[in-house]
Amino acid sequence: MTSSPDYTMRTSPNYMAGALMAANAVSDALLVYRGSACVEEQVVQTFAPHDLGHGMSVNRAEGRLVLTMDPETVSLMGAAQSALKAARWGLQTRQVRVVLLSELIRHSLTGENIRRLSEQLEAELGVPCVATDADVLDRDFGDSTRSIMDGLARAAVERAPEAPLAEGSVAAVGYLRSRNEGDSDGDNAELRRILAGGGLELCSTWLSGGTWEELLEATRAQTIVGPPFAGNAARLLA
């Protein structure tokens, strides 16, 4: 029996949705999700019908979502190794420039430190590794989105190229690419057009489906703008 898509998640997105959307909006990011089959179920049932799963499908070898499928959901030992293995495999088979690491809440209760795991991954793999905040029990879509943006901002500042600020350049931080469709690209193009009309250049949009290198362009922006939920990431970049 085939279950129908869970469309309710589109009107009440959860913590997992934020992590998936953020990874989807960075074209060369790999999302390693510590979880069980329910992660794959939500991707297939909820995101694929709306094309948000395009390019992240767990059913394709080229997908950018890697699940650890940890069976030891309440184990205090050994669970981190599956995440490390998944990330190594992902980087060997894909053109990945940044790794995002997230987990189901039941994993965060087992005592392992996901941020320490991201540091271990970064040292071994040589690419930025950003972990979502695992310390919040009552967490939702906004928490994971903010956490990933903050982590990406810290990583961008650490790796900012040595270059002067670009005169008249603007970075927009806090754009939410909700789906891989023309209207998302059109919104960003219209923002670029509006700024150009005032003699300004949109040098980077977070997160609009671009690459990690395009995100780094925000570090040379003369002006950074964004809504309140992305305020911390904007301040870090400034």
Short mmCIF file of all heavy atoms in Angstrom, two decimals, residues 51-107:
data_model
loop_
_atom_site.label_atom_id
_atom_site.label_comp_id
_atom_site.label_asym_id
_atom_site.label_seq_id
_atom_site.Cartn_x
_atom_site.Cartn_y
_atom_site.Cartn_z
N ASP A 51 9.25 19.32 -5.76
CA ASP A 51 10.53 19.53 -6.43
C ASP A 51 11.61 20.05 -5.50
O ASP A 51 12.69 20.42 -5.94
CB ASP A 51 10.38 20.47 -7.64
CG ASP A 51 11.53 20.30 -8.63
OD1 ASP A 51 12.04 19.17 -8.73
OD2 ASP A 51 11.93 21.27 -9.28
N LEU A 52 11.33 20.14 -4.21
CA LEU A 52 12.38 20.55 -3.29
C LEU A 52 13.40 19.45 -3.14
O LEU A 52 14.57 19.69 -2.86
CB LEU A 52 11.79 20.90 -1.92
CG LEU A 52 12.76 21.46 -0.89
CD1 LEU A 52 13.45 22.71 -1.42
CD2 LEU A 52 12.05 21.79 0.40
N GLY A 53 12.99 18.22 -3.36
CA GLY A 53 13.92 17.10 -3.26
C GLY A 53 14.79 16.92 -4.48
O GLY A 53 15.69 16.10 -4.49
N HIS A 54 14.51 17.66 -5.55
CA HIS A 54 15.29 17.52 -6.77
C HIS A 54 16.77 17.84 -6.50
O HIS A 54 17.11 18.89 -5.98
CB HIS A 54 14.76 18.47 -7.84
CG HIS A 54 15.50 18.38 -9.14
ND1 HIS A 54 15.44 17.28 -9.95
CD2 HIS A 54 16.33 19.25 -9.76
CE1 HIS A 54 16.19 17.49 -11.01
NE2 HIS A 54 16.74 18.66 -10.92
N GLY A 55 17.63 16.91 -6.84
CA GLY A 55 19.06 17.10 -6.59
C GLY A 55 19.48 16.66 -5.21
O GLY A 55 20.65 16.61 -4.91
N MET A 56 18.51 16.33 -4.33
CA MET A 56 18.87 15.84 -3.01
C MET A 56 18.31 14.45 -2.76
O MET A 56 18.40 13.91 -1.68
CB MET A 56 18.33 16.78 -1.93
CG MET A 56 19.03 18.11 -1.88
SD MET A 56 18.47 19.08 -0.48
CE MET A 56 19.00 18.04 0.87
N SER A 57 17.70 13.85 -3.77
CA SER A 57 17.00 12.59 -3.60
C SER A 57 17.91 11.51 -3.05
O SER A 57 19.03 11.31 -3.49
CB SER A 57 16.42 12.13 -4.94
OG SER A 57 15.89 10.84 -4.83
N VAL A 58 17.42 10.78 -2.05
CA VAL A 58 18.18 9.66 -1.50
C VAL A 58 18.12 8.45 -2.43
O VAL A 58 18.80 7.46 -2.19
CB VAL A 58 17.64 9.26 -0.11
CG1 VAL A 58 17.88 10.36 0.88
CG2 VAL A 58 16.17 8.91 -0.19
N ASN A 59 17.32 8.53 -3.48
CA ASN A 59 17.17 7.39 -4.37
C ASN A 59 18.11 7.46 -5.57
O ASN A 59 18.07 6.62 -6.44
CB ASN A 59 15.72 7.32 -4.87
CG ASN A 59 14.75 7.07 -3.73
OD1 ASN A 59 15.04 6.28 -2.85
ND2 ASN A 59 13.62 7.75 -3.75
N ARG A 60 18.95 8.49 -5.62
CA ARG A 60 19.88 8.62 -6.73
C ARG A 60 21.32 8.65 -6.21
O ARG A 60 21.60 9.19 -5.15
CB ARG A 60 19.64 9.92 -7.49
CG ARG A 60 18.27 10.03 -8.11
CD ARG A 60 18.27 11.25 -9.00
NE ARG A 60 17.05 12.01 -8.84
CZ ARG A 60 16.90 13.22 -9.29
NH1 ARG A 60 17.89 13.82 -9.90
NH2 ARG A 60 15.76 13.86 -9.14
N ALA A 61 22.21 8.09 -6.99
CA ALA A 61 23.61 8.06 -6.57
C ALA A 61 24.20 9.46 -6.47
O ALA A 61 25.12 9.71 -5.70
CB ALA A 61 24.43 7.22 -7.56
N GLU A 62 23.64 10.40 -7.27
CA GLU A 62 24.18 11.76 -7.27
C GLU A 62 23.49 12.67 -6.26
O GLU A 62 23.73 13.86 -6.22
CB GLU A 62 24.08 12.37 -8.67
CG GLU A 62 22.67 12.65 -9.15
CD GLU A 62 22.04 11.49 -9.88
OE1 GLU A 62 22.53 10.35 -9.70
OE2 GLU A 62 21.08 11.71 -10.65
N GLY A 63 22.61 12.14 -5.46
CA GLY A 63 21.89 12.95 -4.49
C GLY A 63 22.82 13.60 -3.48
O GLY A 63 23.92 13.12 -3.23
N ARG A 64 22.34 14.68 -2.87
CA ARG A 64 23.17 15.43 -1.91
C ARG A 64 22.69 15.26 -0.47
O ARG A 64 23.09 16.01 0.40
CB ARG A 64 23.19 16.91 -2.30
CG ARG A 64 23.87 17.15 -3.64
CD ARG A 64 24.13 18.61 -3.90
NE ARG A 64 22.89 19.36 -4.08
CZ ARG A 64 22.42 20.25 -3.21
NH1 ARG A 64 23.06 20.48 -2.08
NH2 ARG A 64 21.29 20.91 -3.45
N LEU A 65 21.85 14.29 -0.25
CA LEU A 65 21.41 13.97 1.10
C LEU A 65 21.90 12.57 1.43
O LEU A 65 21.60 11.61 0.72
CB LEU A 65 19.88 14.02 1.20
CG LEU A 65 19.27 13.49 2.50
CD1 LEU A 65 19.70 14.34 3.69
CD2 LEU A 65 17.75 13.44 2.40
N VAL A 66 22.68 12.47 2.49
CA VAL A 66 23.20 11.17 2.93
C VAL A 66 22.66 10.90 4.32
O VAL A 66 22.83 11.70 5.24
CB VAL A 66 24.75 11.15 2.95
CG1 VAL A 66 25.24 9.79 3.41
CG2 VAL A 66 25.30 11.49 1.59
N LEU A 67 22.01 9.76 4.47
CA LEU A 67 21.44 9.38 5.75
C LEU A 67 22.32 8.33 6.42
O LEU A 67 22.80 7.41 5.77
CB LEU A 67 20.03 8.81 5.56
CG LEU A 67 19.06 9.69 4.76
CD1 LEU A 67 17.73 8.95 4.60
CD2 LEU A 67 18.86 11.02 5.45
N THR A 68 22.53 8.49 7.71
CA THR A 68 23.34 7.51 8.42
C THR A 68 22.51 6.28 8.77
O THR A 68 23.04 5.21 8.99
CB THR A 68 23.92 8.09 9.71
OG1 THR A 68 22.86 8.36 10.62
CG2 THR A 68 24.69 9.36 9.43
N MET A 69 21.19 6.45 8.88
CA MET A 69 20.30 5.35 9.24
C MET A 69 20.76 4.64 10.50
O MET A 69 20.83 3.42 10.57
CB MET A 69 20.19 4.34 8.08
CG MET A 69 19.55 4.90 6.84
SD MET A 69 17.85 5.44 7.11
CE MET A 69 17.37 5.85 5.45
N ASP A 70 21.14 5.42 11.51
CA ASP A 70 21.63 4.83 12.76
C ASP A 70 20.57 3.94 13.41
O ASP A 70 19.49 4.41 13.75
CB ASP A 70 22.00 5.93 13.76
CG ASP A 70 23.28 6.63 13.37
OD1 ASP A 70 24.06 6.03 12.62
OD2 ASP A 70 23.48 7.78 13.81
N PRO A 71 20.87 2.67 13.63
CA PRO A 71 19.92 1.83 14.36
C PRO A 71 20.01 2.06 15.86
O PRO A 71 19.07 1.82 16.60
CB PRO A 71 20.36 0.41 14.00
CG PRO A 71 21.83 0.54 13.74
CD PRO A 71 22.01 1.92 13.13
N GLU A 72 21.18 2.58 16.31
CA GLU A 72 21.39 2.76 17.75
C GLU A 72 20.90 4.14 18.17
O GLU A 72 21.68 5.01 18.57
CB GLU A 72 22.86 2.55 18.12
CG GLU A 72 23.86 3.44 17.40
CD GLU A 72 24.29 2.91 16.06
OE1 GLU A 72 23.45 2.61 15.22
OE2 GLU A 72 25.51 2.80 15.86
N THR A 73 19.60 4.39 18.08
CA THR A 73 19.07 5.72 18.31
C THR A 73 19.21 6.18 19.75
O THR A 73 19.09 7.36 20.03
CB THR A 73 17.59 5.79 17.92
OG1 THR A 73 16.87 4.78 18.63
CG2 THR A 73 17.43 5.56 16.43
N VAL A 74 19.44 5.28 20.66
CA VAL A 74 19.63 5.68 22.05
C VAL A 74 20.96 5.19 22.60
O VAL A 74 21.16 5.13 23.80
CB VAL A 74 18.48 5.17 22.96
CG1 VAL A 74 17.18 5.85 22.60
CG2 VAL A 74 18.34 3.66 22.86
N SER A 75 21.86 4.84 21.68
CA SER A 75 23.17 4.34 22.11
C SER A 75 24.11 5.48 22.43
O SER A 75 24.13 6.50 21.77
CB SER A 75 23.77 3.47 21.00
OG SER A 75 25.10 3.11 21.33
N LEU A 76 24.93 5.29 23.45
CA LEU A 76 25.90 6.31 23.84
C LEU A 76 27.24 6.12 23.14
O LEU A 76 28.12 6.95 23.28
CB LEU A 76 26.11 6.30 25.35
CG LEU A 76 24.90 6.71 26.19
CD1 LEU A 76 25.25 6.61 27.68
CD2 LEU A 76 24.47 8.12 25.86
N MET A 77 27.43 5.02 22.44
CA MET A 77 28.73 4.74 21.86
C MET A 77 28.59 4.31 20.40
O MET A 77 27.68 3.59 20.03
CB MET A 77 29.43 3.63 22.65
CG MET A 77 29.68 3.98 24.11
SD MET A 77 30.55 2.69 24.99
CE MET A 77 32.11 2.68 24.11
N GLY A 78 29.51 4.79 19.58
CA GLY A 78 29.64 4.30 18.22
C GLY A 78 28.79 4.98 17.16
O GLY A 78 29.02 4.79 15.98
N ALA A 79 27.78 5.73 17.55
CA ALA A 79 26.89 6.30 16.55
C ALA A 79 27.59 7.33 15.67
O ALA A 79 27.22 7.52 14.51
CB ALA A 79 25.68 6.94 17.23
N ALA A 80 28.59 8.02 16.19
CA ALA A 80 29.28 9.05 15.42
C ALA A 80 29.99 8.47 14.20
O ALA A 80 30.13 9.14 13.18
CB ALA A 80 30.28 9.79 16.30
N GLN A 81 30.43 7.24 14.30
CA GLN A 81 31.19 6.65 13.20
C GLN A 81 30.37 6.53 11.93
O GLN A 81 30.89 6.65 10.82
CB GLN A 81 31.72 5.27 13.62
CG GLN A 81 32.77 5.31 14.70
CD GLN A 81 33.93 6.23 14.32
OE1 GLN A 81 34.48 6.12 13.22
NE2 GLN A 81 34.30 7.12 15.23
N SER A 82 29.07 6.30 12.07
CA SER A 82 28.24 6.20 10.88
C SER A 82 28.14 7.54 10.16
O SER A 82 28.08 7.60 8.93
CB SER A 82 26.84 5.69 11.24
OG SER A 82 26.22 6.56 12.17
N ALA A 83 28.12 8.64 10.91
CA ALA A 83 28.09 9.97 10.30
C ALA A 83 29.41 10.26 9.58
O ALA A 83 29.42 10.83 8.48
CB ALA A 83 27.81 11.03 11.35
N LEU A 84 30.51 9.90 10.19
CA LEU A 84 31.81 10.09 9.56
C LEU A 84 31.92 9.28 8.27
O LEU A 84 32.38 9.77 7.25
CB LEU A 84 32.92 9.68 10.54
CG LEU A 84 33.16 10.61 11.72
CD1 LEU A 84 34.05 9.93 12.77
CD2 LEU A 84 33.78 11.92 11.27
N LYS A 85 31.47 8.05 8.32
CA LYS A 85 31.51 7.19 7.14
C LYS A 85 30.66 7.76 6.03
O LYS A 85 31.06 7.78 4.86
CB LYS A 85 31.03 5.78 7.52
CG LYS A 85 31.05 4.79 6.36
CD LYS A 85 30.58 3.42 6.82
CE LYS A 85 30.58 2.43 5.66
NZ LYS A 85 30.10 1.09 6.10
N ALA A 86 29.47 8.26 6.37
CA ALA A 86 28.57 8.82 5.37
C ALA A 86 29.18 10.05 4.71
O ALA A 86 29.08 10.23 3.50
CB ALA A 86 27.23 9.18 6.02
N ALA A 87 29.81 10.92 5.51
CA ALA A 87 30.41 12.13 4.95
C ALA A 87 31.60 11.79 4.05
O ALA A 87 31.76 12.39 2.98
CB ALA A 87 30.86 13.05 6.08
N ARG A 88 32.43 10.85 4.47
CA ARG A 88 33.57 10.44 3.63
C ARG A 88 33.08 9.93 2.29
O ARG A 88 33.62 10.29 1.23
CB ARG A 88 34.38 9.36 4.34
CG ARG A 88 35.09 9.80 5.59
CD ARG A 88 36.01 8.69 6.09
NE ARG A 88 36.46 8.93 7.44
CZ ARG A 88 36.03 8.25 8.51
NH1 ARG A 88 35.12 7.30 8.36
NH2 ARG A 88 36.50 8.52 9.71
N TRP A 89 32.07 9.09 2.34
CA TRP A 89 31.52 8.53 1.10
C TRP A 89 30.94 9.62 0.22
O TRP A 89 31.13 9.63 -0.99
CB TRP A 89 30.45 7.49 1.43
CG TRP A 89 29.82 6.88 0.22
CD1 TRP A 89 30.32 5.86 -0.54
CD2 TRP A 89 28.59 7.26 -0.38
NE1 TRP A 89 29.46 5.58 -1.57
CE2 TRP A 89 28.40 6.42 -1.51
CE3 TRP A 89 27.63 8.22 -0.09
CZ2 TRP A 89 27.28 6.53 -2.33
CZ3 TRP A 89 26.52 8.33 -0.91
CH2 TRP A 89 26.35 7.49 -2.02
N GLY A 90 30.24 10.57 0.82
CA GLY A 90 29.64 11.65 0.05
C GLY A 90 30.68 12.49 -0.68
O GLY A 90 30.49 12.87 -1.84
N LEU A 91 31.78 12.80 -0.02
CA LEU A 91 32.81 13.63 -0.64
C LEU A 91 33.57 12.88 -1.72
O LEU A 91 34.09 13.49 -2.66
CB LEU A 91 33.78 14.17 0.41
CG LEU A 91 33.43 15.59 0.90
CD1 LEU A 91 32.20 15.55 1.80
CD2 LEU A 91 34.60 16.20 1.63
N GLN A 92 33.63 11.58 -1.61
CA GLN A 92 34.32 10.79 -2.63
C GLN A 92 33.52 10.69 -3.91
O GLN A 92 34.09 10.50 -4.99
CB GLN A 92 34.60 9.38 -2.09
CG GLN A 92 35.65 9.33 -1.00
CD GLN A 92 35.75 7.96 -0.36
OE1 GLN A 92 35.01 7.04 -0.69
NE2 GLN A 92 36.68 7.81 0.58
N THR A 93 32.21 10.82 -3.83
CA THR A 93 31.36 10.59 -5.00
C THR A 93 30.72 11.85 -5.55
O THR A 93 30.03 11.79 -6.55
CB THR A 93 30.24 9.59 -4.64
OG1 THR A 93 29.49 10.11 -3.52
CG2 THR A 93 30.83 8.24 -4.26
N ARG A 94 30.94 13.01 -4.91
CA ARG A 94 30.27 14.24 -5.34
C ARG A 94 31.24 15.43 -5.34
O ARG A 94 32.25 15.39 -4.65
CB ARG A 94 29.09 14.57 -4.40
CG ARG A 94 28.00 13.54 -4.40
CD ARG A 94 27.18 13.64 -3.13
NE ARG A 94 26.07 12.71 -3.10
CZ ARG A 94 26.21 11.40 -2.86
NH1 ARG A 94 27.41 10.90 -2.62
NH2 ARG A 94 25.16 10.61 -2.84
N GLN A 95 30.89 16.46 -6.08
CA GLN A 95 31.66 17.70 -6.05
C GLN A 95 31.11 18.57 -4.91
O GLN A 95 30.30 19.46 -5.12
CB GLN A 95 31.53 18.42 -7.40
CG GLN A 95 32.16 17.67 -8.56
CD GLN A 95 33.66 17.50 -8.37
OE1 GLN A 95 34.37 18.42 -7.96
NE2 GLN A 95 34.16 16.31 -8.67
N VAL A 96 31.57 18.30 -3.71
CA VAL A 96 31.04 18.96 -2.51
C VAL A 96 32.05 19.98 -2.00
O VAL A 96 33.26 19.72 -1.94
CB VAL A 96 30.75 17.91 -1.41
CG1 VAL A 96 30.40 18.59 -0.10
CG2 VAL A 96 29.62 17.00 -1.85
N ARG A 97 31.55 21.17 -1.65
CA ARG A 97 32.41 22.23 -1.12
C ARG A 97 32.10 22.58 0.33
O ARG A 97 32.87 23.26 0.98
CB ARG A 97 32.27 23.49 -1.99
CG ARG A 97 32.79 23.29 -3.41
CD ARG A 97 34.29 23.09 -3.43
NE ARG A 97 34.80 22.84 -4.78
CZ ARG A 97 35.00 21.63 -5.28
NH1 ARG A 97 34.73 20.56 -4.55
NH2 ARG A 97 35.46 21.47 -6.50
N VAL A 98 30.95 22.11 0.84
CA VAL A 98 30.60 22.36 2.23
C VAL A 98 29.69 21.22 2.70
O VAL A 98 28.88 20.71 1.93
CB VAL A 98 29.91 23.73 2.40
CG1 VAL A 98 28.65 23.81 1.57
CG2 VAL A 98 29.61 24.03 3.86
N VAL A 99 29.88 20.81 3.95
CA VAL A 99 29.09 19.73 4.53
C VAL A 99 28.22 20.29 5.65
O VAL A 99 28.70 21.02 6.52
CB VAL A 99 29.99 18.60 5.09
CG1 VAL A 99 29.15 17.57 5.85
CG2 VAL A 99 30.76 17.93 3.97
N LEU A 100 26.93 19.97 5.61
CA LEU A 100 26.00 20.33 6.68
C LEU A 100 25.67 19.06 7.45
O LEU A 100 25.45 18.00 6.85
CB LEU A 100 24.73 20.94 6.10
CG LEU A 100 24.92 22.12 5.14
CD1 LEU A 100 23.57 22.61 4.63
CD2 LEU A 100 25.69 23.24 5.80
N LEU A 101 25.62 19.17 8.75
CA LEU A 101 25.39 18.01 9.60
C LEU A 101 24.23 18.29 10.52
O LEU A 101 24.20 19.30 11.23
CB LEU A 101 26.64 17.71 10.43
CG LEU A 101 26.63 16.49 11.36
CD1 LEU A 101 26.47 15.21 10.55
CD2 LEU A 101 27.91 16.44 12.17
N SER A 102 23.22 17.40 10.50
CA SER A 102 22.07 17.57 11.36
C SER A 102 21.65 16.21 11.90
O SER A 102 22.18 15.18 11.49
CB SER A 102 20.91 18.24 10.60
OG SER A 102 19.90 18.65 11.49
N GLU A 103 20.67 16.22 12.80
CA GLU A 103 20.27 14.97 13.41
C GLU A 103 18.87 15.07 13.99
O GLU A 103 18.37 16.16 14.28
CB GLU A 103 21.24 14.58 14.54
CG GLU A 103 21.29 15.58 15.68
CD GLU A 103 22.34 15.25 16.71
OE1 GLU A 103 22.94 14.17 16.65
OE2 GLU A 103 22.58 16.10 17.58
N LEU A 104 18.24 13.93 14.14
CA LEU A 104 16.96 13.87 14.83
C LEU A 104 17.17 14.16 16.30
O LEU A 104 18.24 13.88 16.86
CB LEU A 104 16.33 12.48 14.66
CG LEU A 104 15.90 12.10 13.24
CD1 LEU A 104 15.36 10.68 13.24
CD2 LEU A 104 14.86 13.06 12.72
N ILE A 105 16.16 14.69 16.95
CA ILE A 105 16.30 15.10 18.34
C ILE A 105 16.64 13.95 19.26
O ILE A 105 17.36 14.10 20.24
CB ILE A 105 15.02 15.82 18.83
CG1 ILE A 105 15.27 16.48 20.18
CG2 ILE A 105 13.84 14.86 18.91
CD1 ILE A 105 14.17 17.43 20.60
N ARG A 106 16.21 12.75 18.94
CA ARG A 106 16.50 11.63 19.81
C ARG A 106 17.99 11.30 19.82
O ARG A 106 18.51 10.75 20.77
CB ARG A 106 15.69 10.40 19.40
CG ARG A 106 15.94 9.92 17.99
CD ARG A 106 14.93 8.84 17.63
NE ARG A 106 15.05 8.45 16.24
CZ ARG A 106 14.20 7.63 15.65
NH1 ARG A 106 13.18 7.15 16.32
NH2 ARG A 106 14.35 7.31 14.39
N HIS A 107 18.68 11.66 18.74
CA HIS A 107 20.13 11.47 18.72
C HIS A 107 20.81 12.49 19.62
O HIS A 107 21.79 12.18 20.29
CB HIS A 107 20.67 11.59 17.29
CG HIS A 107 20.38 10.41 16.45
ND1 HIS A 107 21.16 9.28 16.45
CD2 HIS A 107 19.37 10.16 15.58
CE1 HIS A 107 20.67 8.40 15.61
NE2 HIS A 107 19.57 8.91 15.07
#
